[in-house]
Amino acid sequence: MLHDTHDAPLDRNDQGGTTRTITIAAVLLISASATACGGSGEPKTIRVTVTQTVTASPSTDSASTTDTSVLKMGATKTIVDAESDVDATVQALAYQQPYKGPQPAKPEAFQGGDIWATADVKVCNIEGASSSVDQFPWSLAYEDGTTIKVTGSSGGDMPKPEYPMDKTLTSGRCARGLVAFPVPSGKQPERLVYQPGSGEPTEWTISTTG
């Protein structure tokens, strides 16, 4: 006689799937004749338990799609340049559009914008050989794939305190200041980008509120 038991508990596996255990109890009745086997004539019962494990595919909802490559404004990134023997940190502290301080002359049309925006940035030489910093690694990236770079203008009526255009940092020294960008007033950049030379870019998210 076969008894099929479907009390199947659900267990979660490590991959987020579902494991269903089905236990089937089979009762085999073996009747032994007293005259053939010399027994009492009562049937012997043998219980056999069969366990079957079924693992469901993990839910696609459990997959993480979070992109952690773009930093939040204010975050600090450590950069190790073994070739140049420099350990440095780079930080974007704030972005302001339009710039609300004393106004420089309006950007020229060929520069790509009609107002000035600024990024407050900081770079430190933590350890190693001396290194130089300037504004040119910094740029703005837009959702449509366009970019705006610094103009190279410095001094005069440009926003202050100004991030240096050419400064040597010895070990333990930092440089901080405003980098100015000529931007269109009706368009908001998506990311602030730092990319020295051919190195990997570091990016910070720019809030839609500026």
Side-chain angles (χ1 to χ4, degrees), residues 7-18:
D7 295 331
L10 296 181
D11 300 321
R12 293 289 180 183
N13 61 17
D14 293 340
Q15 290 75 32
T18 301

Side-chain angles (χ1 to χ4, degrees), residues 9-147:
L10 296 181
D11 300 321
R12 293 289 180 183
N13 61 17
D14 293 340
Q15 290 75 32
T18 301
T19 300
R20 181 181 296 275
T21 301
I22 302 173
T23 302
I24 301 174
V27 180
L28 303 180
L29 299 179
I30 303 176
S31 297
S33 170
T35 57
C37 300
S40 63
E42 296 182 358
K44 295 181 179 180
T45 300
I46 301 175
R47 183 174 296 275
V48 179
T49 301
V50 179
T51 301
Q52 179 184 10
T53 301
V54 179
T55 302
S57 299
S59 171
T60 55
D61 293 339
S62 63
S64 176
T65 57
T66 302
D67 181 6
T68 58
S69 62
V70 180
L71 303 175
K72 291 183 179 180
M73 190 63 66
T76 300
K77 174 72 175 292
T78 299
I79 299 176
V80 178
D81 187 343
E83 184 176 345
S84 301
D85 187 29
V86 174
D87 290 0
T89 59
V90 58
Q91 182 182 20
L93 294 102
Y95 176 80
Q96 187 179 82
Q97 178 181 329
Y99 170 62
K100 296 179 174 62
Q103 293 298 301
K106 187 176 180 179
E108 299 289 341
F110 72 87
Q111 293 177 320
D114 58 341
I115 61 171
W116 291 101
T118 58
D120 184 0
V121 300
K122 182 179 180 180
V123 174
C124 294
N125 182 344
I126 302 301
E127 185 179 12
S130 296
S131 61
S132 61
V133 295
D134 56 59
Q135 295 186 13
F136 294 107
W138 297 94
S139 64
L140 299 176
Y142 289 79
E143 187 177 9
D144 61 6
T146 58
T147 60

